[in-house]
Every structure is written in structure tokens, then in C-alpha cells.
Amino acid sequence: MRISKVYTRTGDAGKTRLAGGQEVWKDSLRVEAYGTVDELNSVIGVARALNAEHLKTVATREKLEENLRWVQNKLFDVGGVLATAPGETFTNMPKVTADHVLRLERLIDTCQEDLEPLKEFILPGGGKVSGVLHQARTVCRRAERLCVSLSREEDVPAELVRFLNRLSDALFVLARWTARTQGESEYLWEREGG
């Protein structure tokens, strides 16, 4: 894909075109879904930038970079699928498959080997990178909810919803793993007396 001009003025009236040419309102559920996936991708980009600058352990930094870069690429695929009009297909159309979900599950399992089981909910935070990963997790959950809502109205591949569901779990575990491997504090929810 080559983008030669950033603005086209075609969206000034509040509509946009999906891949395949279907015109929709910019506040349609489909546009909201892929827009939220784009937001998630941007938050992960911030986590990557902070990771490159701040993590002390090279092995941790490289492992996190590799996984987050893969996730960002897959999120472009997710956005591409969502930005395609229902029923439309094209050459080299991106896909989200069961193998992609499985890769996230393997990542979760590997990271969990370094983590203590949770005894209570944790407060999002820790360090800069882990805090942004927690933020990414919440944006991912919103993207998932929007895709579920969209799937009740239009065709959305089931693997895409599964991918977002597993990705939010992976982001939670990566946030914990990053805090743990960097020696950052993890604060538990403190229940007030009942």
C-alpha cells in the first residue's frame, strides 16, 4: 500500500469508505471497532518506546520488544479485517487464525513461569512500561467488547474476537512479567474492612 496524500477531504461530511468501497458513517460500530484497535496499537507503541529507553535487563527488553512488535503487526491485520466491508475479499487479505491465538497462549504460559500466582487483584501500575501495558489491556478489552457487539450485527471472524480476548490476557501477564523481571513493585488491591 502506498499513501501519497494524507488528506483527501472525502471524510469531511462524516463518512468513510471500508475496503471494498462501502460508504459508512464514521461513528458506525465497525469504524469504532477498528478505530479502537488502532488506539490499542498506539498504546503498545508507547510501551515499546518506553521499553527501548528504560528497561535495565537486555534480555527482558529484547523479549518484550519482539513480542510487542509481533502484536502490533497482528493488530494491523485485525484492523484490516474489521475495515473490510462484510463479504468482501481481496488478494493478500490479512487473517487472524487459531495459530495466532495459540502463540499468545504460549507467550502467557512462558511468562507465567516467572510469576507468583495472584492472591488478590493488582492495581495497574508498577513501572512505566508495565503501567502502559495495563493501559493497553484495558483498551484491548474495549476493542473486544466492540467486536462482540459488531458480531451480533455483522459478520466478524470468531478467531478475531478470540485473539483480542487472549491478547488482553497476554498484556496483563506481560505487565506483571515486566514488573517482576525489572524488580518493580506490584501493589495488591487492599480491601477495606466490611
Side-chain angles (χ1 to χ4, degrees), residues 117-182:
L118 275 176
K119 297 180 178 108
E120 192 56 80
F121 290 111
I122 63 168
L123 301 178
K128 290 180 181 179
V129 176
S130 57
V132 172
L133 290 171
H134 279 294
Q135 181 182 17
R137 171 188 56 83
T138 65
V139 176
C140 188
R141 284 291 187 208
R142 180 162 31 95
E144 178 190 5
R145 290 190 303 271
L146 288 165
C147 287
V148 168
S149 294
L150 179 62
S151 73
R152 292 172 32 199
E153 296 178 10
E154 300 179 29
D155 186 38
V156 174
E159 289 303 328
L160 188 147
V161 175
R162 279 193 273 280
F163 178 83
L164 290 172
N165 184 12
R166 213 65 84 252
L167 177 57
S168 63
D169 295 335
L171 290 167
F172 175 75
V173 170
L174 281 170
R176 293 194 67 219
W177 179 82
T178 300
R180 169 80 178 194
T181 57
Q182 294 304 301

Side-chain angles (χ1 to χ4, degrees), residues 47-65:
R48 283 184 61 209
L50 290 171
N51 178 46
E53 290 179 5
H54 295 289
L55 289 190
K56 300 169 246 171
T57 307
V58 172
T60 301
R61 184 172 56 240
E62 289 175 359
K63 180 177 180 177
L64 190 58
E65 168 61 20

Side-chain angles (χ1 to χ4, degrees), residues 96-116:
V96 180
T97 68
D99 286 341
H100 300 128
V101 175
L102 188 60
R103 179 170 172 167
L104 290 172
E105 290 174 353
R106 285 193 302 261
L107 172 62
I108 292 166
D109 293 342
T110 300
C111 289
Q112 290 227 183
E113 291 173 4
D114 296 331
L115 299 174
E116 297 291 324

Side-chain angles (χ1 to χ4, degrees), residues 11-77:
D12 290 352
K15 289 193 172 184
T16 190
R17 291 193 189 279
L18 300 177
Q22 179 183 351
E23 194 173 68
V24 296
W25 289 103
K26 287 187 175 187
D27 65 350
S28 77
L29 195 50
R30 183 169 289 277
V31 175
E32 187 69 31
Y34 72 70
T36 303
V37 168
D38 187 36
E39 179 185 352
L40 169 60
N41 208 335
S42 296
V43 175
I44 291 173
V46 173
R48 283 184 61 209
L50 290 171
N51 178 46
E53 290 179 5
H54 295 289
L55 289 190
K56 300 169 246 171
T57 307
V58 172
T60 301
R61 184 172 56 240
E62 289 175 359
K63 180 177 180 177
L64 190 58
E65 168 61 20
E66 175 188 335
N67 284 296
L68 293 181
R69 189 175 57 249
W70 177 80
V71 164
Q72 283 193 295
N73 278 288
K74 286 315 300 171
L75 287 173
F76 265 101
D77 292 346

